Amino acid sequence: MGARDSELPDLGAIDRGLKDFQRRTAAAVFHRLYEQARSTHRFLVADEVGLGKTLIARSVIARTLHHLWDEVNRIDIVYICSNTDIARQNIKRLNVLGDEGKTLPTRITLLPIMLRDLNKNRINFISFTPGTSFDLKSHLGVAQERMLLYWLLKDIWHFSGTAPMNVFQGRAQTKLFRNGLKAFPENHRIDRTLAKEFRQTVRKHMREEKANGEWTLRERFDWLCQEYRRSDSRITREVRLERSIFVGKLRSLLAETCVRMLEPDLVILDEFQRFKHLLSGEDDASMLARKLFEYSDDLTAVRVLLLSATPYKMYTLSDESEQEDHYRDFIDTLDFLFRDKRKVEKFADLLREYRYELLRFNDQSPEQLECIKSDIQKALRRVMARTERLAVTDDRAGMLTQVEPKDVELLADDILAYVELQSIARELDMPNTIEYWKSSSYLLNFMEDYKLKRSFHDALDDGGKAEVVTRALSKVQHLLLSWNDVENYEVLDPRNARLRGLIKQVIDTKMWQLLWLPPSFPYYELDGPFRNRTHSQITKRLIFSSWRVVPKVVSTILSYEAERQSVKSFEPDALNTEDERERRGHTLLLRISVSKDRPTGMPVLAMMYPSISLTRRYDPLNLARKYGEGDSLTLKQLQGIIREDISKGLEAVAMPTDESRVDEQWYWAAPILLDRHHYPKATKEWFGQDDIEDQWAGEDGSGDDAWYEHVDRARRLLNGEPTLGRPPDCRCSLIR
């Protein structure tokens, strides 16, 4: 089939939107993946943070579509990253066909009901996350997956009755799950070929279980059906766990089948270091992922593009944890890219030669070092490209402006803390600790898996050294946190010049009062902390450090000080003890819980409810355009406009009420009833989803039983349950 301009992206238009280095990188990647006589099949773009790796990938996708158009009947672009929301967002950015491109963010286990759609499309864009598509054991997944498994297994085992439904129900509401289960074959067409493959996969797995003397899947299922004949409230925790393991195993087997049926042409792994175990691990999830990465058929073989700003760390100090073997990570990455053990071994030999040559280098013999360096560069350029910010501009300024740090003040106590730390290190026969001290503070309190901290603990367990170290500790006055100060919410000395400056910039300026950054162009006059002129000029801060202890120290000290100032502002005599924190927690925390068989967190659920009415009808920009008359509205004016419209909406809500009593349930019911009034179809569809509890709670149904009861109560409100009393005071008070 010949390519038609209307069906393929405009390469020129896409490349015109790129910077020169991005365009060159995209061309080099495509050349290595497809055009070279011995293409690599796998390539890594390791450009520095913020240099547009997604834009480069977009250009590679466009080139790939043009290249494969006449070779394959269906082109599948698979995008994998560690976060579902990011995957959903980026797959749309990578879709070079715009609205014409078929974007299918999904779980790989739902392929049986998607394969028909995939086959209808010439080009498909599909996104996955490892947690929902590969690492599936011991997880129930979402309701739609369990419904699919129910019907796939029913075709194999021919079961009947309510017990199998109960096994696959999970935490979904019973009536909705069974209605969804009944309607599933009508709403979703299961691909017959994939169903047949799954049947063979299950039977093969059961033969292996039987040969190993294990319970087979069918025996586990029969046992679970026996247990789930009783009411759900009588099911023990152990049985629920066995059910999760059983469903998780089925999801894993289904994923294995789906990987075989998927026909990926280009797989993009974004920030792959977050799931790098999938590239070289030996567990089931890794083996499953590699089947996707190694797919090939008679026409073509899959290409894999890796994206990561920090795939490995080139320099490791001796004091860093043995768990961070960055050299090993680098070699493992090359092992995946080269796909040839001999090439990897040869490259490792080159690195060793380069190191030895550096050690014996002198002005008289640079040729050998240059030769080895050239060989290393040639090997790496076959499988990876990296652009650093310094190289982007002609003056090698890297689009950066050097700004001298403000508020960085070194105090005498900081230096005394170093002296005390070094005295302890000397007793432990450890090297100079000045690099630690320059980057962080209170190191003995916050360090975990460092040689210094391990040696410190070993010394305390050693009878010979314990007395010496204890004596040294008794003399320190600046090295350790004072627990008495912490419990009394006293101000903590940062004991570090950089940390002191950071506290001045983000804590002392009251930035902790802001839930989000103030808008640079507000739609109405800001109020409260957002009105602060200093706050209107703030921006995000990105802190880099090679020491793992630094994020812990920075987050702890800054969070403590923000909490201290916040708590002290409404309770000047507050203490930071366990009992006091628990007392405040009961008052301040938002809780989803059940008391006396009744959901008690419905107002909290209302705060989490994605109300269509509040989103669409009260967009501040639209209201400012409609009512501002050229001037900015004040927050009070904006609230008055919204209050009046909500009051009218609530008056129009068709809801039977018991006027004999005041009912505070209106505080959580109002947004849902407004949606039913203004957007009845969308509201009904949203609450009618089979797995709304799982989707609302997060991936893999992470909500607890109380959450499901709250969602069910909100759903029943749409059916007139319960009958509400009259609103408190007046309905306009509901939006205070």
Side-chain angles (χ1 to χ4, degrees):
M1 183 186 298
R4 296 198 298 269
D5 292 340
S6 62
E7 294 179 284
L8 283 170
D10 184 341
L11 284 178
I14 289 175
D15 279 356
R16 280 194 295 274
L18 302 181
K19 298 184 183 299
D20 288 344
F21 75 91
Q22 294 169 338
R23 194 178 304 113
R24 290 195 301 269
T25 301
V29 172
F30 179 75
H31 175 70
R32 295 294 187 184
L33 288 178
Y34 289 102
E35 294 181 333
Q36 199 175 38
R38 291 184 299 164
S39 60
T40 62
H41 286 66
R42 296 174 181 179
F43 201 90
L44 165 64
V45 175
D47 286 1
E48 200 172 355
V49 174
L51 294 187
K53 290 181 289 298
T54 303
L55 296 176
I56 293 170
R58 193 169 187 269
S59 178
V60 173
I61 290 172
R63 295 165 190 265
T64 299
L65 297 182
H66 277 268
H67 178 75
L68 295 178
W69 188 262
D70 294 325
E71 295 186 19
V72 296
N73 294 323
R74 190 186 91 204
I75 303 174
D76 292 343
I77 308 297
V78 178
Y79 174 79
I80 302 175
C81 77
S82 59
N83 181 278
T84 303
D85 293 330
I86 295 176
R88 188 179 298 112
Q89 170 185 307
N90 282 351
I91 194 66
K92 292 180 180 178
R93 295 176 62 191
L94 293 171
N95 186 345
V96 293
L97 302 180
D99 294 337
E100 299 299 321
K102 301 300 181 181
T103 301
L104 301 168
T106 184
R107 297 160 182 251
I108 200 169
T109 46
L110 295 179
L111 191 62
I113 58 176
M114 289 176 48
L115 202 55
R116 183 184 179 190
D117 291 334
L118 287 176
N119 289 328
K120 287 193 303 184
N121 303 330
R122 189 72 169 86
I123 300 171
N124 297 291
F125 293 87
I126 309 161
S127 64
F128 295 136
T129 62
T132 58
S133 291
F134 300 125
D135 192 8
L136 308 176
K137 284 190 173 180
S138 302
H139 292 293
L140 289 173
V142 295
Q144 193 176 34
E145 286 178 287
R146 299 194 298 276
M147 291 179 188
L148 172 60
L149 285 170
Y150 174 92
W151 285 106
L152 286 171
L153 284 179
K154 188 177 179 64
D155 186 50
I156 303 173
W157 293 340
H158 309 292
F159 48 71
S160 60
T162 59
M165 297 182 190
N166 295 339
V167 171
F168 286 100
Q169 179 180 322
R171 290 174 170 173
Q173 200 265 342
T174 301
K175 183 178 179 181
L176 273 174
F177 183 80
R178 292 189 179 179
N179 288 341
L181 202 59
K182 183 179 180 181
F184 193 86
E186 299 175 12
N187 298 333
H188 305 285
R189 182 175 175 180
I190 300 175
D191 184 79
R192 292 183 180 181
T193 303
L194 205 152
K196 181 179 178 181
E197 285 287 324
F198 180 65
R199 184 187 311 126
Q200 294 173 355
T201 301
V202 169
R203 288 174 176 171
K204 178 184 175 183
H205 182 76
M206 288 173 59
R207 287 195 297 270
E208 292 173 354
E209 288 176 323
K210 191 171 183 179
N212 294 330
E214 302 172 354
W215 258 27
T216 66
L217 282 172
R218 182 58 194 266
E219 288 170 336
R220 288 175 181 270
F221 179 68
D222 289 342
W223 178 80
L224 285 169
C225 287
Q226 188 67 34
E227 293 293 322
Y228 274 89
R229 284 194 176 94
R230 60 184 76 174
S231 65
D232 192 64
S233 61
R234 296 171 57 193
I235 302 297
T236 65
R237 184 176 180 276
E238 290 73 17
V239 173
R240 293 177 191 270
L241 178 60
E242 285 296 326
R243 191 261 305 272
S244 295
I245 294 173
F246 170 75
V247 174
K249 184 60 186 177
L250 286 175
R251 292 176 67 217
S252 182
L253 293 175
L254 180 56
E256 179 184 330
T257 308
C258 293
V259 165
R260 293 200 303 267
M261 298 297 291
L262 192 64
E263 301 172 2
D265 295 286
L266 176 63
V267 176
I268 299 172
L269 307 181
D270 199 354
E271 297 297 340
F272 75 93
Q273 78 280 1
R274 298 179 185 273
F275 47 90
K276 60 187 177 184
H277 64 283
L278 295 180
L279 306 187
S280 58
E282 296 300 325
D283 58 302
D284 291 346
S286 302
M287 301 294 285
L288 181 61
R290 287 207 294 278
K291 288 180 180 179
L292 182 68
F293 306 151
E294 296 169 0
Y295 171 82
S296 65
D297 57 22
D298 295 335
L299 296 176
T300 184
V302 66
R303 268 49 170 190
V304 182
L305 174 60
L306 288 77
L307 308 175
S308 177
T310 54
Y312 43 79
K313 183 177 174 183
M314 292 301 293
Y315 180 61
T316 306
L317 298 176
S318 60
D319 296 330
E320 293 190 66
S321 168
E322 288 92 344
Q323 295 178 7
E324 295 187 20
D325 190 341
H326 304 293
Y327 172 77
R328 186 68 256 167
D329 286 347
F330 178 49
I331 295 299
D332 286 344
T333 301
L334 289 177
D335 188 35
F336 179 80
L337 294 170
F338 282 142
R339 298 194 304 160
D340 188 326
K341 294 291 184 184
R342 289 177 300 177
K343 288 184 179 180
V344 177
E345 291 171 0
K346 182 178 179 181
F347 185 84
D349 290 339
L350 277 177
L351 287 182
R352 280 191 290 270
E353 291 179 32
Y354 188 67
R355 177 175 179 270
Y356 295 148
E357 198 62 36
L358 280 173
L359 293 174
R360 59 173 173 258
F361 175 78
N362 59 68
D363 294 338
Q364 307 302 318
S365 59
E367 294 82 6
Q368 181 64 13
L369 186 63
E370 285 287 348
C371 182
I372 298 173
K373 174 189 173 185
S374 177
D375 289 343
I376 290 174
Q377 289 177 330
K378 288 178 182 178
L380 292 180
R381 281 174 178 161
R382 284 188 55 80
V383 294
M384 69 176 66
R386 178 172 174 83
T387 301
E388 297 190 351
R389 197 173 295 276
L390 288 176
V392 170
T393 54
D394 293 336
D395 60 359
R396 296 191 65 80
M399 302 184 291
L400 300 175
T401 301
Q402 182 71 28
V403 179
E404 293 298 324
K406 298 179 180 179
D407 303 316
V408 176
E409 183 182 9
L410 181 66
L411 301 182
D413 285 352
D414 303 344
I415 299 175
L416 290 173
Y418 164 70
V419 173
E420 294 173 353
L421 177 65
Q422 189 57 32
S423 69
I424 300 294
R426 193 178 300 112
E427 299 295 345
L428 300 174
D429 299 322
M430 293 296 295
N432 196 305
T433 58
I434 194 166
E435 293 297 328
Y436 291 144
W437 170 78
K438 283 163 56 178
S439 299
S440 193
S441 56
Y442 300 113
L443 289 157
L444 291 183
N445 292 104
F446 290 105
M447 273 184 165
E448 290 180 355
D449 195 18
Y450 282 81
K451 288 182 180 179
L452 175 61
K453 189 64 174 285
R454 291 199 302 272
S455 298
F456 176 73
H457 282 301
D458 292 343
L460 293 179
D461 294 334
D462 186 329
K465 286 190 174 182
E467 184 178 349
V468 176
V469 173
T470 303
R471 190 183 310 117
L473 281 175
S474 66
K475 298 177 181 179
V476 304
Q477 299 180 26
H478 309 85
L479 180 61
L480 302 175
L481 278 171
S482 166
W483 192 246
N484 185 62
D485 287 349
V486 172
E487 287 194 330
N488 285 281
Y489 269 135
E490 298 291 339
V491 177
L492 298 180
D493 189 324
R495 290 286 191 270
N496 180 276
R498 292 170 178 165
L499 184 57
R500 184 174 293 109
L502 187 62
I503 289 175
K504 287 182 179 180
Q505 294 170 24
V506 302
I507 300 296
D508 293 348
T509 57
K510 304 298 182 183
M511 275 178 60
W512 58 268
Q513 295 178 338
L514 306 178
L515 290 177
W516 49 79
L517 291 179
S520 56
F521 187 73
Y523 303 144
Y524 56 89
E525 293 181 12
L526 302 178
D527 206 348
F530 291 94
R531 196 170 186 173
N532 187 316
R533 178 178 291 272
T534 302
H535 291 170
S536 66
Q537 299 172 351
I538 64 175
T539 184
K540 297 178 182 178
R541 280 165 172 74
L542 186 60
I543 301 172
F544 289 95
S545 176
S546 61
W547 300 106
R548 290 192 303 134
V549 70
V550 170
K552 187 175 181 181
V553 172
V554 170
S555 61
T556 303
I557 299 298
L558 264 64
S559 296
Y560 168 84
E561 183 57 24
E563 178 185 317
R564 189 190 71 81
Q565 292 191 27
S566 174
V567 172
K568 287 282 189 179
S569 67
F570 64 83
E571 191 176 337
D573 298 325
L575 296 176
N576 190 23
T577 62
E578 184 176 352
D579 291 341
E580 286 293 290
R581 286 196 302 274
E582 184 175 358
R583 177 185 63 80
R584 285 194 297 272
H586 284 297
T587 305
L588 300 175
L589 294 182
L590 304 179
R591 299 178 182 275
I592 295 287
S593 59
V594 175
S595 177
K596 297 180 180 178
D597 298 324
R598 180 178 178 179
T600 58
M602 294 304 295
V604 178
L605 180 134
M607 295 174 65
M608 302 164 62
Y609 172 63
S611 172
I612 311 174
S613 299
L614 298 182
T615 302
R616 292 183 180 175
R617 296 178 67 85
Y618 310 124
D619 181 344
L621 178 57
N622 292 336
L623 294 179
R625 286 171 174 167
K626 185 175 181 179
Y627 298 100
E629 298 180 354
D631 297 322
S632 296
L633 295 172
T634 65
L635 181 59
K636 188 174 182 179
Q637 288 173 324
L638 192 64
Q639 289 173 333
I641 293 168
I642 296 173
R643 180 180 294 110
E644 182 179 354
D645 189 77
I646 288 180
S647 297
K648 291 178 180 178
L650 291 176
E651 289 172 2
V653 166
M655 185 72 184
T657 56
D658 177 3
E659 296 296 326
S660 66
R661 59 187 175 86
V662 174
D663 195 343
E664 293 197 352
Q665 291 187 93
W666 277 93
Y667 287 108
W668 64 263
I672 300 173
L673 295 176
L674 285 171
D675 280 358
R676 189 185 68 172
H677 173 68
H678 293 301
Y679 307 97
K681 182 179 178 182
T683 304
K684 182 179 179 181
E685 288 178 353
W686 196 77
F687 275 104
Q689 296 178 95
D690 305 330
D691 56 348
I692 182 178
E693 295 91 348
D694 291 336
Q695 290 193 40
W696 201 350
E699 289 184 2
D700 292 316
S702 56
D704 57 18
D705 292 338
W707 169 256
Y708 290 89
E709 292 193 35
H710 281 68
V711 176
D712 184 54
R713 187 174 182 83
R715 183 189 284 114
R716 285 189 284 116
L717 175 71
L718 298 178
N719 299 323
E721 304 175 45
T723 299
L724 301 179
R726 69 175 187 273
D729 298 332
C730 65
R731 295 190 178 188
C732 55
S733 69
L734 297 174
I735 62 167
R736 288 182 300 183

